[in-house]
Amino acid sequence: MGESSDLYLFIGRFHPLFVHLPIGFLLLAFLFEVCSRFKRFEHLGSAVSFSLLLGFASAVAAAATGYLLSEDGGYGEDLLWIHKWLGISVAVISLCAFVLRQWFYENVQLKKLYTFLMWGMIACLFGAGHYGGSLTHGSDYLVQYMPEPLRAITGAPVVEAKSIKKIEDLDSAKVFMDVIHPILDTRCVSCHNPEKYEGDLLLTSYDEILQGGESGPALEAGSAATSELVKRILLPDRHDDLMPPSGKQPLTEDQKDLIAWWVDLGAPTDESISELDVPDNILAKLNKLTVDGTGFLVRTEVSEPDTSLVNELNNGGSFRISRIAQDSNFLQVKTRNSDGMIDLHQLSPLSSQVTWLDLSGTAISDSSLAAISNFENLTRLHLSQTDIENNSLQHLKNLAHLEYLNLYGTTISDEGLDNLTGLQSLHSLYIWQTEVTESGVEQLKSQLPNLQIDTGWQSEI
């Protein structure tokens, strides 16, 4: 019985291949018929019967494979019923039209019936196509992007394109409705809704998620590792059971991590973010969902820098200090004399304003670099071609917002990279011509999976 079911399903999956054939043949037959009513194109009438016959044969194949495919389940009963009978109607009407066109075309009364059938066939053909598309893509697929003037004329309902709405206030946001549900709604619900419930699984509400599908419960609250939902989204690319399947828009790494974190918490529903235990790495991902989550500098305000101190340091010869933008209080700092010793303690009064710091090629000491731990808003740091050592990188551990780090041409090794594992905001690391090994890179990537590491000796990792 199992082998028979598999065979039926195998044949049924040829339905998308066959279903386009009757569309082409029957539309062509209709076009030939219309054109043949004009004297100039009356010769096209001889091709109508043959086109109808091919359309009928392919419509039978499409209907048969469609029936076998429907036995797999996972489709809304109402839409499926309409689609099925419209498809059968196309096959029956095309056969009747073929018989009338081939043998009774000269009969005036039957010719009128034939004309009526041809129009009915086209109507059923379009209807079957529409409802078939609704089964596959959702009932609002056709009208989702309909222009407003046409929508007004046809009376089509307004359908908003699904997108993840930015969170206004993260602390008061509800973890399920504002974070998890939007992810599922935009990535998973197209295949797990009442009209197309793949695997008998619905993901349109919290209760339906808990109910699960044919494989059992979708999640086990408190254990992401044993939850079917989490396991499916973490499968390798092109795996047969990967969710969403190949060809659908995949989940991002952040979205996967947020779902796993939510399940590990016990899959809470009404709790707000402020009521939950949120690790730093998850907080960074949640911040990206906020209105100002496009950048740390955009959503952070600092006081006006001490202008007299900035001028003094600029005139002192060691630093070049400027604002990163005309209307910003954040500063960028570069060194003037790369051969001289740099003392970062001079910049300490500006530590909250300095966000870009370039120390490339300087003779900076470990004791001087220690001052960098107080630069709480630092996002970019250039340490290329300096004499820093592995232990020097321990001073970076407090830089929670550091996004870019350049260690090109230093003696940093795998040991030094261990000091970077807690930098959850870090997304770009350059380690050309260092002593870092491939295993060290892989170890760091296991801790910071979203980090892009440019090694120089192979493609970006």
Side-chain angles (χ1 to χ4, degrees):
M1 289 295 292
E3 291 180 358
S4 298
S5 298
D6 289 342
L7 178 61
Y8 294 155
L9 185 56
F10 169 74
I11 297 173
R13 291 196 173 185
F14 281 88
H15 178 67
L17 174 64
F18 286 115
V19 77
H20 294 93
L21 295 176
I23 296 175
F25 288 135
L26 296 178
L27 283 176
L28 194 60
F30 182 79
L31 180 61
F32 284 163
E33 181 61 45
V34 172
C35 291
S36 69
R37 300 292 176 97
F38 298 92
K39 188 172 183 62
R40 183 179 177 182
F41 301 106
E42 60 183 1
H43 61 280
L44 295 177
S46 60
V48 174
S49 295
F50 184 62
S51 298
L52 285 171
L53 183 61
L54 291 177
F56 162 69
S58 55
V60 170
T65 53
Y67 173 78
L68 295 177
L69 182 62
S70 69
E71 292 299 292
D72 185 40
Y75 298 98
E77 291 297 326
D78 293 339
L79 282 180
L80 180 61
W81 187 90
I82 297 173
H83 175 62
K84 177 177 69 175
W85 284 106
L86 283 174
I88 293 173
S89 297
V90 169
V92 173
I93 294 175
S94 62
L95 176 61
C96 295
F98 165 74
V99 172
L100 291 176
R101 187 60 167 82
Q102 183 69 17
W103 290 292
F104 302 99
Y105 192 71
E106 301 303 324
N107 186 300
V108 176
Q109 295 302 319
L110 292 180
K111 187 174 181 178
K112 291 181 180 179
L113 175 60
Y114 163 78
T115 302
F116 175 78
L117 289 177
M118 289 292 283
W119 282 103
M121 178 187 71
I122 293 300
C124 290
L125 190 66
F126 275 90
H130 168 65
Y131 285 104
S134 297
L135 283 172
T136 305
H137 304 291
S139 58
D140 58 358
Y141 179 75
L142 184 63
V143 299
Q144 184 171 348
Y145 298 103
M146 180 181 288
E148 187 58 39
L150 184 58
R151 192 186 300 277
I153 294 172
T154 60
V158 176
V159 180
E160 295 185 3
K162 289 185 177 180
S163 61
I164 297 179
K165 184 180 179 181
K166 290 290 187 178
I167 297 173
E168 295 285 345
D169 178 24
L170 185 61
D171 288 339
S172 62
K174 300 297 183 181
V175 65
F176 179 72
M177 288 306 300
D178 295 323
V179 178
I180 303 302
H181 182 265
I183 296 174
L184 299 177
D185 193 42
T186 55
R187 295 293 191 271
C188 308
V189 166
S190 62
C191 290
H192 298 282
N193 60 76
E195 295 171 354
K196 184 186 178 185
Y197 41 98
E198 291 284 355
D200 293 334
L201 174 63
L202 296 177
L203 297 178
T204 47
S205 70
Y206 183 81
D207 291 338
E208 289 166 345
I209 296 172
L210 294 183
Q211 184 176 343
E214 64 182 18
S215 298
L219 59 83
E220 183 177 334
S223 178
T226 57
S227 293
E228 192 67 24
L229 176 65
V230 179
K231 289 193 291 185
R232 293 290 183 94
I233 65 175
L234 295 179
L235 288 171
D237 292 344
R238 299 188 179 182
H239 191 287
D240 289 343
D241 295 328
L242 173 67
M243 287 178 53
S246 178
K248 299 285 187 178
Q249 188 173 11
L251 292 164
T252 66
E253 293 301 317
D254 283 356
Q255 290 171 339
K256 294 176 184 178
D257 291 343
L258 288 172
I259 291 175
W261 163 72
W262 171 68
V263 174
D264 276 332
L265 282 178
T269 53
D270 298 325
E271 289 83 346
S272 60
I273 299 296
S274 60
E275 298 176 286
L276 303 173
D277 179 20
V278 186
D280 289 341
N281 66 316
I282 295 297
L283 181 59
K285 301 175 193 299
L286 289 171
N287 277 325
K288 295 179 184 179
L289 303 178
T290 62
V291 172
D292 297 324
T294 53
F296 165 71
L297 299 181
V298 174
R299 63 176 186 272
T300 305
E301 295 183 2
V302 293
S303 60
E304 180 84 16
D306 186 337
T307 305
S308 60
L309 177 60
V310 170
N311 292 334
E312 179 184 342
L313 292 173
N314 270 330
N315 295 329
S318 296
F319 301 106
R320 289 181 298 170
I321 306 174
S322 60
R323 297 175 186 268
I324 65 171
Q326 186 175 1
D327 58 348
S328 174
N329 290 331
F330 282 109
L331 303 174
Q332 57 178 327
V333 179
K334 296 183 179 181
T335 56
R336 291 182 183 274
N337 185 2
S338 60
D339 296 329
M341 184 66 68
I342 298 297
D343 184 8
L344 282 185
H345 291 89
Q346 293 180 298
L347 293 173
S348 292
L350 302 172
S351 59
S352 62
Q353 287 90 6
V354 174
T355 188
W356 299 347
L357 180 59
D358 188 349
L359 302 175
S360 302
T362 60
I364 189 167
S365 65
D366 183 71
S367 60
S368 177
L369 189 62
I372 206 171
S373 61
N374 296 320
F375 287 56
E376 57 185 1
N377 294 324
L378 197 65
T379 59
R380 300 184 188 179
L381 177 59
H382 291 258
L383 293 173
S384 59
Q385 296 182 314
T386 60
D387 294 330
I388 61 169
E389 301 176 348
N390 288 323
N391 289 336
S392 301
L393 295 185
Q394 66 181 327
H395 303 308
L396 310 184
K397 289 183 176 180
N398 293 332
L399 304 181
H401 306 296
L402 188 65
E403 301 173 354
Y404 172 100
L405 177 61
N406 195 325
L407 301 175
Y408 161 69
T410 64
T411 60
I412 298 300
S413 66
D414 296 351
E415 180 184 348
L417 295 189
D418 291 340
N419 294 300
L420 306 180
T421 56
L423 301 180
Q424 296 296 326
S425 295
L426 190 64
H427 59 68
S428 297
L429 174 64
Y430 292 81
I431 52 174
W432 306 348
Q433 297 182 22
T434 65
E435 297 179 12
V436 174
T437 66
E438 187 172 356
S439 62
V441 170
E442 294 300 327
Q443 176 62 29
L444 182 59
K445 282 289 290 183
S446 68
Q447 300 294 319
L448 301 173
N450 295 321
L451 176 61
Q452 296 295 315
I453 304 178
D454 198 330
T455 63
W457 35 261
Q458 65 180 41
S459 60
E460 200 172 272
I461 300 175

